[in-house]
Amino acid sequence: MVVELRYKLLSSDEDFLYDIIEYLENGENLERSLILTKSVPIEIKLELQLGMSFEKVISLIKFNYPISMNLLLSLAFNSNEEAIRRIKSTADIIKKQQEALEEKRVLLLVHKRRIKIIRLISTLVIGTLAGFSPITTSFYQLINNYTSTLKFEYFSILSFSFLFVNILNNYFLMELANEDFKCRKLSFALILHLLCVVFITLLLRHIVSF
Amino acid sequence: MKVRSKVINWIYSLIPDNLILMLILGKNETLPKFFVSSMDILTAKKKIIGSILTGLILCSALNLLLKKFSVLSILLALLFVIVSIFVLMNHIHSTIASRYKKFDEMVFILINSLSIGVLIHQSLFYSIDLLLKNSFVKTEYDIFLGEIIANANLGEDENLLLQKSSKKFFTEEYRKALEHLSNGRYIKSNPRFLARIKREISTVEDNIVIFIAVSCLFPLALSMIIPLVIDSNSLSLFLFPLIFGLFGSLFLRFIQGKSGGRIEV
């Protein structure tokens, strides 16, 4: 296995590009502007001074977006004013996109928190419904047979069907919020549901025994 | 080991690829086939076979529990298989959609670097070759460029080739820029991207309202009605979660279609 030795940039992609453009506009060539910038780690500069070609040195850098490398690679051998202008406008676009994405990221974090709360509450609500299933069962018997017997069993088919609904609901909400560790959170929801059912059945038994 | 892998390959070959592509991409094919890798198709096949096996196990377990053969258990197992295939394919669809979105977000860097290459070297294929030769990391963009070079080696026309490969982009601006690359066009700004992000942000609020309706009110309303209509000791009560699964995955697909793939945080 070949171990890839790659060095991270010390600043963001667009800042690095702005630095390079500035030096290129002042009349330096590509290699020299790479040495002059402060956003490149010292190892890269050493490799360049030891005689590695510019293209290879560029591919040693680990960009935030791997595709940013292409922009500098296309400048290989020579550059002119028009090319520099194009790189500048590209860096501008990257910056604007970054700002928009950052705004979206902050909003989505709030969204994730909201969905987390909805998930918890709906888990509890469905668990409670499942806990009250003996009462709805007796209602069915009352309507059909005009008699009913209240039996507080912990688990019935109705409460199991609610369990499936709960797990599916949790899964959908997690998919919507794009969360990690889905299995772990699903098992947590399962335990919460079972606890809910047992607690409410115990409560009902206690009330009826009085 | 060899026999086993042969058997597994034979089982996989039973399911046609076109069917899986249809299941993943949907009827409208909003995503180009370029983003569906062979790995995705393989995982889809694995998931389909897994869900069919679980359906069989479920069917036989129900029959054993009831101690008699019932048509209802077969129907339930069939519904379970359909719902699980629907949910799992939806998951694969959303991963592919988000991959596509990420590809499209940064493709303007590629177009601009190609335009610089054309400006300096006066040759499109030379500049593509230059980019391909020096990049260590293999990304989707490299595969995209490699396809162009491979078709060019077969002797296709340059303009026709660019027109064909521009169809892989989601944004209209990027498509036009790639088509007119030799005329010196490049991307100066992308207002469409910013507009799209703003629209996504506003749809996020929408999604919550839709899903509260589905996830809270739907089970609540059904739980009021269903126990009064169906006997609580019959297995047909399991229809209720299956219906919920079908509806939920439909809504999820609807929401993700509106915001163009999974919402990444």
Side-chain angles (χ1 to χ4, degrees):
Chain A
M1 210 178 94
V2 183
V3 181
E4 268 185 36
L5 248 181
R6 298 177 72 213
Y7 303 100
K8 246 188 178 175
L9 270 183
L10 300 177
S11 67
S12 60
D13 283 13
E14 63 267 23
D15 286 341
F16 171 66
L17 285 175
Y18 278 130
D19 271 6
I20 293 261
I21 295 161
E22 213 171 275
Y23 288 116
L24 281 176
E25 274 177 340
N26 289 338
E28 310 279 0
N29 65 1
L30 266 173
E31 283 88 349
R32 197 154 157 68
S33 54
L34 199 66
I35 288 175
L36 284 173
T37 51
K38 280 169 190 163
S39 45
V40 175
I42 192 87
E43 290 90 343
I44 297 276
K45 290 176 186 174
L46 270 176
E47 293 279 9
L48 199 64
Q49 278 165 344
L50 285 173
M52 200 183 251
S53 71
F54 176 75
E55 292 90 56
K56 269 204 173 155
V57 166
I58 284 292
S59 47
L60 279 181
I61 301 175
K62 202 174 183 179
F63 288 99
N64 291 328
Y65 304 108
I67 193 174
S68 317
M69 188 172 67
N70 289 340
L71 212 59
L72 287 173
L73 282 176
S74 67
L75 270 182
F77 304 127
N78 57 19
S79 62
N80 56 23
E81 246 175 57
E82 177 65 23
I84 289 168
R85 215 176 63 216
R86 286 185 189 188
I87 289 194
K88 210 173 185 176
S89 73
T90 314
D92 270 337
I93 300 175
I94 297 176
K95 201 176 178 185
K96 268 181 197 161
Q97 283 207 0
Q98 281 305 306
E99 282 167 5
L101 286 174
E102 183 65 27
E103 197 183 326
K104 189 181 139 194
R105 202 182 65 81
V106 170
L107 188 111
L108 284 177
L109 279 177
V110 177
H111 168 74
K112 209 172 178 177
R113 192 173 158 271
R114 272 186 210 148
I115 283 196
K116 211 175 184 177
I117 294 166
I118 291 173
R119 196 155 55 84
L120 194 72
I121 290 172
S122 62
T123 306
L124 287 176
V125 165
I126 296 172
T128 318
L129 282 175
F132 279 111
S133 60
I135 289 179
T136 47
T137 309
S138 64
F139 262 123
Y140 175 82
Q141 284 171 351
L142 198 70
I143 290 167
N144 280 283
N145 309 330
Y146 304 112
T147 53
S148 79
T149 46
L150 260 176
K151 252 197 247 167
F152 293 114
E153 287 167 342
Y154 282 106
F155 299 108
S156 61
I157 290 177
L158 189 60
S159 76
F160 269 116
S161 84
F162 271 114
L163 180 69
F164 282 125
V165 169
N166 212 343
I167 285 172
L168 272 172
N169 187 23
N170 266 285
Y171 174 76
F172 290 142
L173 285 174
M174 262 187 246
E175 187 80 353
L176 198 67
N178 196 20
E179 289 199 47
D180 314 321
F181 310 118
K182 277 184 189 133
C183 270
R184 216 178 288 172
K185 281 169 188 169
L186 277 182
S187 49
F188 175 71
L190 195 137
I191 291 166
L192 208 67
H193 178 95
L194 294 180
L195 276 178
C196 244
V197 170
V198 169
F199 176 72
I200 284 170
T201 319
L202 278 177
L203 200 77
L204 284 175
R205 278 184 181 180
H206 186 72
I207 290 169
V208 168
S209 68
F210 263 106
Chain B
M1 276 307 277
K2 262 189 178 175
V3 176
R4 196 180 143 199
S5 67
K6 262 185 186 175
V7 169
I8 289 171
N9 279 334
W10 180 75
I11 291 170
Y12 285 155
S13 66
L14 280 180
I15 306 168
D17 286 2
N18 285 332
L19 179 78
I20 286 172
L21 274 177
M22 210 179 79
L23 281 172
I24 293 174
L25 298 179
K27 211 177 178 183
N28 305 332
E29 286 198 20
T30 43
L31 303 169
K33 277 178 194 167
F34 172 70
F35 293 94
V36 186
S37 65
S38 55
M39 209 53 208
D40 289 324
I41 290 177
L42 200 70
T43 45
K45 279 180 180 177
K46 270 181 199 169
K47 282 178 176 175
I48 285 176
I49 289 169
S51 58
I52 288 172
L53 282 180
T54 356
L56 280 176
I57 291 167
L58 193 80
C59 180
S60 48
L62 284 178
N63 278 332
L64 279 175
L65 273 175
L66 293 175
K67 287 174 187 166
K68 63 171 185 193
F69 179 77
S70 71
V71 186
L72 188 70
S73 65
I74 294 175
L75 269 175
L76 274 177
L78 207 69
L79 248 169
F80 172 79
V81 170
I82 291 169
V83 169
S84 61
I85 285 177
F86 211 78
V87 171
L88 293 172
M89 291 301 121
N90 192 36
H91 181 79
I92 294 175
H93 174 89
S94 57
T95 48
I96 291 169
S98 55
R99 200 186 300 156
Y100 179 29
K101 220 163 73 178
K102 266 194 182 157
F103 176 86
D104 205 66
E105 256 166 31
M106 285 295 145
V107 88
F108 69 92
I109 301 178
L110 187 79
I111 295 172
N112 278 8
S113 50
L114 278 180
S115 82
I116 292 166
V118 171
L119 188 82
I120 292 172
H121 307 297
Q122 301 297 333
S123 156
L124 174 71
F125 296 126
Y126 180 70
S127 52
I128 292 177
D129 211 31
L130 201 74
L131 294 185
L132 276 177
K133 226 190 273 168
N134 292 315
S135 62
F136 264 156
V137 237
K138 281 278 162 283
T139 53
E140 272 155 345
Y141 302 101
D142 288 335
I143 300 165
F144 173 76
L145 289 178
E147 238 171 53
I148 293 179
I149 281 283
N151 282 328
N153 284 337
L154 290 173
E156 266 190 66
D157 184 44
E158 185 181 309
N159 287 327
L160 214 73
L161 201 61
L162 285 181
Q163 222 172 50
K164 220 193 214 169
S165 42
S166 70
K167 277 176 190 154
K168 278 165 196 159
F169 298 155
F170 180 70
T171 320
E172 188 72 34
E173 264 175 347
Y174 297 167
R175 277 185 202 173
K176 286 220 168 111
L178 192 73
E179 275 174 32
H180 301 281
L181 204 63
S182 46
N183 302 341
R185 192 184 276 200
Y186 69 103
I187 293 156
K188 287 165 197 159
S189 66
N190 54 350
R192 291 253 173 97
F193 174 81
L194 300 177
R196 208 182 75 203
I197 291 279
K198 270 188 187 148
R199 205 188 68 207
E200 260 175 36
I201 285 174
S202 57
T203 49
V204 160
E205 312 277 324
D206 232 32
N207 293 345
I208 289 185
V209 178
I210 293 171
F211 231 86
I212 285 174
V214 175
S215 71
C216 300
L217 297 180
F218 193 67
L220 204 78
L222 274 184
S223 63
M224 301 268 178
I225 302 159
I226 280 190
L228 297 180
V229 184
I230 303 168
D231 184 15
S232 60
N233 289 321
S234 76
L235 277 177
S236 45
L237 271 177
F238 280 114
L239 280 172
F240 167 40
L242 288 171
I243 290 170
F244 181 71
L246 209 67
F247 263 87
S249 55
L250 269 173
F251 268 104
L252 206 66
R253 199 151 190 165
F254 168 69
I255 286 167
Q256 282 169 350
K258 225 166 82 177
S259 55
R262 188 182 297 167
I263 302 161
E264 296 283 341
V265 179

